[in-house]
Amino acid sequence: EADIKAKINELTDEQRKGKSANEYYEQMQSIREDFTVFGLSLLEKPEFTHFGVLWLIPLLSGLTALFSSMVSMHYTRAMMAKDAPGQGCSNNMMMIGMPLFSLFITFTVPGGVGVYWICSNLIAVLQTVILNHMYNPAKIRAQAEIEYEERRKKKAEDKKRLAEARADHLRGRPQQGG
């Protein structure tokens, strides 16, 4: 507290906007309380050296990132007919590497960022599942193939009727149906 107030006192009066170091410090403390959840300040960083409750945030962030990667990979593999050669190793490295990177980064930033990533990962999983359920690429592809086959058959039938109509016309018979 004393160090913070000393640094604030080093500021010019214009920079402090006429507030004393005590007023600034009290304002900082009131803002700090706004970022407290269940008595846990989300402005603090989890420490590698000190195990505490804040460790849950990076761990959950890493786990939800891994879960999000796994769900995304599941739907991507289901969509592709066969895996492209050499992509399996690259995909697995990304699936493991990115959550580990997320885990590392959340240890270096305030806990609030980790909470944001946890929520973001959970929303991404939910979004992926819902969209793949609503717009399943395999179902859409199957429906498109059925529609294409129907159009192809209709076109072939139309060509056949047109050829018959021309043949009838050349033989001098009147067309049927109009």
Side-chain angles (χ1 to χ4, degrees):
E1 180 180 346
D3 291 340
I4 294 171
K5 288 181 180 179
K7 290 292 184 186
I8 292 172
N9 280 328
E10 290 176 9
L11 299 173
T12 64
D13 193 41
E14 184 179 317
Q15 290 173 325
R16 284 186 285 155
K17 298 181 182 170
K19 292 184 182 179
S20 70
N22 287 332
E23 290 171 329
Y24 253 102
Y25 186 77
E26 287 175 21
Q27 185 179 6
M28 288 169 55
Q29 290 304 318
S30 69
I31 290 172
R32 184 179 186 88
E33 290 171 9
D34 292 342
F35 291 94
T36 302
V37 178
F38 302 116
L40 181 68
S41 174
L42 297 179
L43 296 175
E44 294 178 19
K45 294 189 304 185
E47 299 291 332
F48 280 117
T49 58
H50 173 20
F51 182 77
V53 178
L54 280 177
W55 267 54
L56 289 176
I57 294 172
L59 294 176
L60 286 174
S61 176
L63 288 174
T64 57
L66 179 65
F67 182 60
S68 176
S69 294
M70 290 171 65
V71 168
S72 178
M73 191 68 62
H74 167 75
Y75 284 109
T76 301
R77 285 184 181 152
M79 183 175 59
M80 295 190 318
K82 343 184 331 192
D83 290 335
Q87 289 296 311
C89 181
S90 175
N91 289 339
N92 289 336
M93 288 298 293
M94 288 297 285
M95 189 170 71
I96 302 293
M98 293 309 289
L100 287 175
F101 184 68
S102 174
L103 178 70
F104 172 74
I105 293 295
T106 50
F107 271 107
T108 63
V109 295
V113 176
V115 171
Y116 169 78
W117 282 353
I118 292 168
C119 294
S120 176
N121 290 332
L122 293 175
I123 290 170
V125 167
L126 186 66
Q127 175 183 346
T128 301
V129 170
I130 289 172
L131 288 177
N132 276 287
H133 179 71
M134 290 174 58
Y135 302 106
N136 187 330
K139 288 181 184 177
I140 292 171
R141 184 178 24 240
Q143 182 64 30
E145 288 174 359
I146 290 169
E147 290 173 1
Y148 172 76
E149 192 62 32
E150 288 173 358
R151 283 194 308 269
R152 193 184 64 74
K153 285 180 182 178
K154 186 175 182 328
K155 189 175 180 180
E157 289 172 4
D158 289 346
K159 280 185 178 181
K160 183 178 177 183
R161 273 189 280 144
L162 183 59
E164 288 174 1
R166 284 184 184 154
D168 286 346
H169 182 68
L170 290 175
R171 283 185 242 139
R173 290 194 294 185
Q175 291 181 354
Q176 296 176 351

